Amino acid sequence: MNILDKITLDKRKEVALRKSLIPISQLEQSVLFERETVSLANNLQHSKSGIIAEHKRRSPSKSVINNSLNVQDVASGYEDAGVCGMSVLTDGKYFGGSLDDLLTARASCKLPLLRKEFIIDEYQLIEAKAYGADVILLIAAILSKNEIKTFSEFAKSLNLDVLLEVHNEEELHKSIMPSLDMLGVNNRNLKTFNVSLETSKTLSKLIPDDFVKVSESGISNIEAIKELQPYGYQGFLIGENFMKTDNPGVNATQFIKSLL
């Protein structure tokens, strides 16, 4: 069983437990449930940098990245840096995140927020909305074509942007549908954890222009972005590169200045 299968298995148990504790009706009463969302896809289309900056404490491939920062400082720092959006990991067991991180980020900035999560149930989309997210992530590797369709259409009914993540050609072919806003190519092979920008380059030719193209993982320098822009990428998800420093906001500011 690879790490993704393991995470998904644990996620099913976790979501079943959450559903039994907090009913949907309670989530829908959240003060944030009615707020107007901000489109990340729109931001990326009108940006010169395309940076989506991430809050991530740890990961299965790198163990601890940074446990000492508070989400509030990271979110306001990213906003000051002029990033297009912020990704907040809400998985606890493998990434050290939580829905409270999303809530804190929402209270600290006006950026579009992506709930970075392993989504396997519509319930998690209602949670995302209730905790202040603007965008949800769907991972093609763990979902059937039908689930991608159901979840993405449901997300759109909640006015949430949808970023769909693929790792290879097979996942891409089953995923292309009008209810998506952005197609993200993850350059990390989830079986080996090796990272290669070639994945983004190869798959870019197969992604229709109706979607905003986002490249994820392994983007740690300006050169990587400059290399991918000619392939039509408008979004670049950067996590560890900023989070492994003492001040992700300042780091993101310098990064964006050198990029522009």
Side-chain angles (χ1 to χ4, degrees):
M1 191 187 271
N2 67 35
I3 185 72
L4 197 56
D5 296 336
K6 216 164 129 192
I7 293 173
T8 310
L9 198 65
D10 285 334
K11 191 57 63 181
R12 291 193 189 283
K13 293 175 192 158
E14 182 198 315
V15 173
L17 178 64
R18 294 178 83 92
K19 283 168 89 167
S20 70
L21 295 173
I22 301 172
I24 285 174
S25 56
Q26 193 178 325
L27 291 171
E28 290 174 340
Q29 282 161 15
S30 148
V31 63
L32 291 169
F33 203 79
E34 297 304 321
R35 73 173 267 277
E36 210 168 301
T37 51
V38 186
S39 170
L40 175 62
N42 198 26
N43 271 16
L44 293 174
Q45 283 170 310
H46 297 95
S47 159
K48 288 191 174 74
S49 79
I51 304 296
I52 305 161
E54 191 154 80
H55 179 269
K56 173 159 72 170
R57 292 189 181 85
R58 55 187 163 89
S59 75
S61 61
K62 288 272 163 67
S63 63
V64 174
I65 298 162
N66 197 331
N67 271 334
S68 61
L69 299 168
N70 72 60
V71 182
Q72 191 177 350
D73 291 344
V74 176
S76 55
Y78 281 159
E79 186 167 43
D80 292 344
V83 304
C84 285
M86 178 176 174
S87 163
V88 181
L89 271 135
T90 60
D91 173 78
K93 184 169 182 179
Y94 295 91
F95 291 87
S98 71
L99 276 164
D100 285 343
D101 289 342
L102 189 57
L103 212 50
T104 306
R106 179 73 291 148
S108 315
C109 72
K110 292 190 165 59
L111 293 167
L113 297 181
L114 164 70
R115 180 185 186 188
K116 187 93 175 281
E117 183 53 272
F118 300 84
I119 287 178
I120 43 92
D121 193 299
E122 285 186 5
Y123 180 82
Q124 293 162 287
L125 305 183
I126 296 169
E127 275 183 334
K129 180 83 171 167
Y131 280 82
D134 301 275
V135 194
I136 54 120
L137 174 76
L138 297 178
I139 302 172
I142 62 173
L143 300 170
S144 67
K145 183 172 186 167
N146 197 34
E147 285 173 322
I148 294 169
K149 185 175 189 298
T150 305
F151 296 161
S152 57
E153 286 175 356
F154 185 57
K156 297 313 291 174
S157 77
L158 294 170
N159 286 324
L160 295 168
D161 265 10
V162 181
L163 167 63
L164 184 108
E165 174 179 301
V166 298
H167 299 85
N168 56 42
E169 196 172 326
E170 185 192 352
E171 288 174 10
L172 181 62
H173 285 311
K174 78 169 180 187
S175 308
I176 292 176
M177 53 187 79
S179 43
L180 310 174
D181 301 285
M182 296 161 281
L183 269 162
V185 176
N186 193 334
N187 299 305
R188 189 187 304 281
N189 180 319
L190 291 176
K191 293 187 173 69
T192 63
F193 280 122
N194 293 341
V195 173
S196 165
L197 294 184
E198 291 308 313
T199 311
S200 278
K201 292 179 185 175
T202 309
L203 293 182
S204 71
K205 306 173 185 69
L206 307 170
I207 300 173
D209 292 335
D210 324 5
F211 304 104
V212 176
K213 296 179 197 176
V214 178
S215 187
E216 311 168 18
S217 295
I219 298 165
S220 53
N221 54 38
I222 309 288
E223 290 70 44
I225 291 180
K226 296 238 187 273
E227 211 178 302
L228 291 170
Q229 280 171 332
Y231 290 86
Y233 285 93
Q234 292 177 296
F236 305 94
L237 184 72
I238 300 180
E240 282 157 29
N241 198 44
F242 299 148
M243 282 302 292
K244 67 186 179 196
T245 66
D246 294 336
N247 193 326
V250 165
N251 207 269
T253 303
Q254 290 161 347
F255 190 94
I256 290 171
K257 272 192 182 137
S258 351
L259 178 62
L260 303 178

